[in-house]
Amino acid sequence: MSDVPERSTTAHVHVRANESVSLEMVMGPNSSSASVVPKKTNFNFDGKTEQYYADMLAKLQSSIQHKLPVVDPEEQDTFLRTCQATVAARACCDAAEAANKAAKTPQDKDATQKAWNQAQESLAKSVQVGVAVARPLLRKLWTDWQPNTVDDELVLCSVLYRATPLGLANFVQQGVEEQQLIDQLLSDTPLMTSMLEASGPTNGKYGQAMQIFTSILHHIQAKKEDIEIQ
């Protein structure tokens, strides 16, 4: 059993299941750490909507950063180096396995098998070291961090990051209905959460996904009304 307590939070689900929260996603300019709530955008065709979404994303990133626990730089460096070592060991193991499979003669088979065995042992040791380094660090993070305080922001940040400010701007400038769909999406945390847990739409096309989603809802509602009339 893991020494790190399990927490059934949206943030935890995203990190484990879909990796929708990353360091790159939450890193941004240090601006106000106030909670960010989606506001109704003013529809226009002059390109300002891209800046609007970019500003929203930057504020979310800053807000999340201010709420994340502080990690000791030396501990972080050690953890990253062990991760890099494990990745390198895995690459060596894969290369040794490929060489063994490609070997033709008995001598080559024997030599490559020994190399493969050694690579597997090195990988196992690297993983053990990584776990030993990660366990106390993760325990401290889970103790210091209260993820429930940033769940909604993480969800919104993930959608904005995946959809991109430019992608959202291009979609909403197609018309008022398109902008209303994005407004509806960004104000509906449960809906965004469901989308993220399903890995999100292809290429971050959340606007197009909302069009399909609302079309299905309208179709279901129409069928329901037909049944009630009959």
Side-chain angles (χ1 to χ4, degrees):
M1 181 179 294
S2 172
D3 293 332
V4 181
E6 293 285 338
R7 299 191 181 187
S8 57
T9 65
T10 301
H12 192 210
V13 170
H14 290 165
V15 171
R16 293 194 353 173
N18 297 301
E19 300 180 350
S20 59
V21 178
S22 66
L23 288 177
E24 180 185 5
M25 187 189 76
V26 299
M27 294 301 289
N30 290 325
S31 56
S32 170
S33 60
S35 179
V36 178
V37 179
K39 298 179 181 179
K40 193 76 173 180
T41 58
N42 294 319
F43 183 74
N44 61 79
F45 291 91
D46 57 9
K48 290 183 180 178
T49 50
E50 179 183 357
Q51 188 60 50
Y52 175 87
Y53 294 122
D55 289 344
M56 182 188 291
L57 177 58
K59 289 178 181 178
L60 280 166
Q61 291 169 330
S62 177
S63 178
I64 293 170
Q65 284 183 72
H66 280 80
K67 295 173 184 176
L68 292 177
V70 178
V71 179
D72 181 87
E74 292 186 3
E75 292 181 347
Q76 178 176 307
D77 183 63
T78 300
F79 174 70
L80 291 176
R81 283 190 283 106
T82 58
C83 290
Q84 292 168 351
T86 301
V87 171
R90 165 60 66 184
C92 290
C93 190
D94 290 343
E97 180 182 8
N100 178 257
K101 291 181 177 180
K104 302 299 183 180
T105 66
Q107 294 84 353
D108 289 342
K109 276 287 186 183
D110 184 59
T112 55
Q113 183 63 53
K114 290 180 180 179
W116 187 15
N117 292 341
Q118 292 176 350
Q120 289 176 312
E121 292 177 3
S122 296
L123 176 60
K125 291 179 180 179
S126 181
V127 170
Q128 290 177 351
V129 171
V131 171
V133 171
R135 183 175 287 115
L137 179 61
L138 292 175
R139 186 185 299 116
K140 182 178 184 299
L141 289 176
W142 280 115
T143 301
D144 295 346
W145 186 32
Q146 300 298 324
N148 287 328
T149 62
V150 294
D151 273 3
D152 290 355
E153 289 183 328
L154 284 169
V155 170
L156 180 55
C157 183
S158 182
V159 169
L160 288 170
Y161 181 82
R162 287 168 173 242
T164 75
L166 178 59
L168 291 172
N170 288 337
F171 181 79
V172 302
Q173 291 189 12
Q174 296 178 49
V176 176
E177 291 185 1
E178 284 76 8
Q179 179 151 339
Q180 290 175 340
L181 286 174
I182 294 301
D183 289 343
Q184 176 187 346
L185 171 66
L186 298 183
S187 63
D188 192 336
T189 300
L191 176 57
M192 290 188 291
T193 301
S194 296
M195 286 185 170
L196 290 170
E197 290 177 345
S199 298
T202 304
N203 299 323
K205 295 183 177 180
Y206 282 84
Q208 291 83 342
M210 279 296 291
Q211 287 178 321
I212 296 173
F213 175 71
T214 54
S215 177
I216 292 174
L217 288 183
H218 292 157
H219 180 72
I220 293 174
Q221 184 62 32
K223 286 292 184 181
K224 181 179 178 182
E225 293 175 355
D226 288 342
I227 293 174
E228 290 175 351
I229 291 174
Q230 295 175 1

